[in-house]
């Protein structure tokens, strides 16, 4: 399966830079009235401390936020993306212009707390399915404007990215099937555009529809809200012909049983849409503040 977005260091820096610029413009506007009280030449050092255990994610966004306000700011990370921190642990230290650190603080922590929350939640689901063939997959249920950031966080937590948007893959659902006149008909049309897509996937709601999709040459099938017995039967019927993905009705309590049916993927919207921010705090070292 192709990947429509590659999180290399360069692409990550560009993505984080654009996100940070929008967030800083939203927060600072015409200027930080409170930070203006501080000597513009004064340097400061600060530590960011985790208040709870988490999988850390968001370093590129933090760095972009700090360095857009002070290009000379220096950050030292003690916990890298994808690594776990414990309550009370210093995640990173930063040194730079005091005004810049004060103005950047909230925006930087907003990115860190959100992306670490997504990574941490994903890691919980990934741990539950260990030892099975099932990958934990995200969805398009993301915060507007931060989809790629959240998908990066899913990957940092050990999950797998689904399509980025409507432009990079074909995912045929119930209404598409109805509008096209049936499963065979819509898959025939999809074959005409398959070269433009990372993958073609079709959603089915029962075993009869699965049989139709397989007969029509489907190579990736979304099993929507099927019962556990039907999922097991779907895996048997499939005989390895198509990648099988579960969607709908996935709970933390029932996740292991779903994975043990033998499916390849389990997509979970809650990874990105129902997250509780991780608590981090920035502590300035008063003794380090000095005029340059």
């Amino acid at each position: 399966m192709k990947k429509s977005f590659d999180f290399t260091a360069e692409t990550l820096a560009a993505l984080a830079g654009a996100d940070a610029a929008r967030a800083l413009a939203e927060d600072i506007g015409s200027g930080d009235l409170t930070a203006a009280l501080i000597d513009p030449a004064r340097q400061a050092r600060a530590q960011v401390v985790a208040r709870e255990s988490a999988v850390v994610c968001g370093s590129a966004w933090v760095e972009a936020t700090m360095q857009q306000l002070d290009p000379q700011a220096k950050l030292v990370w003690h916990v890298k993306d994808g690594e776990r921190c414990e309550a009370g642990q210093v995640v990173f230290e930063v040194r730079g212009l005091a005004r810049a650190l004060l103005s950047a603080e909230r925006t930087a922590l907003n990115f860190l707390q959100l992306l670490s929350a997504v990574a941490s939640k994903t890691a919980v689901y990934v741990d539950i399915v260990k030892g099975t063939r099932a990958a934990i997959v995200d969805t398009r249920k993301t915060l507007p404007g931060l989809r790629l950031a959240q998908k990066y966080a899913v990957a940092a937590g050990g999950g797998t990215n689904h399509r980025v948007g409507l432009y990079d893959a074909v995912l045929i659902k119930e209404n598409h099937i109805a509008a096209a006149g049936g499963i065979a008909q819509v898959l025939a049309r999809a074959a005409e555009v398959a070269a433009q897509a990372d993958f073609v996937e079709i959603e089915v709601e029962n075993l009869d529809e699965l049989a139709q999709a397989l007969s029509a040459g489907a190579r990736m099938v979304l099993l929507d809200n099927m019962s556990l017995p039907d999922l097991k039967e779907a895996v048997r019927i499939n005989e390895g012909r198509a990648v099988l993905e579960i969607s709908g009705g996935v709970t933390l309590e029932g996740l292991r049983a779903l994975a043990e049916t033998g499916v390849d993927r389990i997509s979970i919207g809650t990874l990105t849409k129902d997250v509780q921010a991780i608590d981090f705090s920035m502590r300035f070292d008063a003794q380090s503040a000095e005029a340059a």
Side-chain angles (χ1 to χ4, degrees), residues 123-144:
V124 171
Y125 283 81
V126 169
D127 285 344
I128 289 174
V129 303
K130 277 183 178 175
T132 73
R133 65 183 294 122
I136 298 300
V137 183
D138 58 24
T139 70
R140 287 166 46 238
K141 296 174 182 176
T142 55
L143 295 177

Side-chain angles (χ1 to χ4, degrees), residues 174 203-206 221-227 231 245-249:
E174 178 184 7
E203 178 184 272
V204 301
E205 297 181 340
N206 53 57
V221 181
L222 187 72
L223 307 173
D224 184 42
N225 279 298
M226 285 192 182
S227 67
L231 289 170
E245 177 179 332
I246 289 175
S247 179

Side-chain angles (χ1 to χ4, degrees), residues 61-209:
W61 284 262
V62 171
E63 292 182 8
T65 301
M66 297 286 186
Q67 291 173 350
Q68 284 185 24
L69 297 186
D70 178 6
Q72 303 306 312
K74 303 297 182 186
L75 292 87
V76 177
W77 289 87
H78 300 292
V79 185
K80 297 179 181 178
D81 284 2
E83 296 179 347
R84 184 168 289 279
C85 66
E86 300 302 329
Q89 185 173 357
V90 175
V91 175
F92 73 89
E93 297 177 82
V94 58
R95 185 178 183 88
L97 292 171
R99 276 191 182 186
L101 301 191
L102 290 165
S103 294
E105 176 183 358
R106 184 67 267 154
T107 297
L109 293 183
N110 284 349
F111 283 123
L112 187 64
Q113 70 186 22
L114 169 66
L115 300 183
S116 295
V118 173
S120 299
K121 189 159 195 172
T122 302
V124 171
Y125 283 81
V126 169
D127 285 344
I128 289 174
V129 303
K130 277 183 178 175
T132 73
R133 65 183 294 122
I136 298 300
V137 183
D138 58 24
T139 70
R140 287 166 46 238
K141 296 174 182 176
T142 55
L143 295 177
L146 289 176
R147 177 168 295 170
L148 287 173
Q150 287 192 280
K151 283 183 172 286
Y152 171 74
V154 167
T160 299
N161 296 144
H162 211 293
R163 59 177 176 165
V164 174
L166 299 175
Y167 56 87
D168 60 324
V170 175
L171 178 48
I172 303 163
K173 296 198 171 187
E174 178 184 7
N175 287 337
H176 300 106
I177 295 169
I183 289 173
Q185 292 89 332
V186 76
L187 283 173
R189 293 294 302 275
E192 299 172 8
V193 299
Q196 304 170 38
D198 283 2
F199 57 83
V200 174
E201 184 173 19
I202 186 165
E203 178 184 272
V204 301
E205 297 181 340
N206 53 57
L207 296 175
D208 178 62
E209 290 181 354

Side-chain angles (χ1 to χ4, degrees), residues 265-286:
R265 297 154 55 99
I266 303 174
S267 54
I268 305 169
T270 192
L271 298 180
T272 52
K273 77 181 183 71
D274 298 323
V275 292
Q276 181 172 338
I278 301 298
D279 194 4
F280 295 97
S281 66
M282 181 179 284
R283 300 174 182 173
F284 274 70
D285 181 354

Side-chain angles (χ1 to χ4, degrees), residues 128 228 249-259:
I128 289 174
L228 203 57
V250 179
T251 65
L252 205 58
E253 296 74 20
L255 180 61
R256 182 71 191 188
L258 294 176

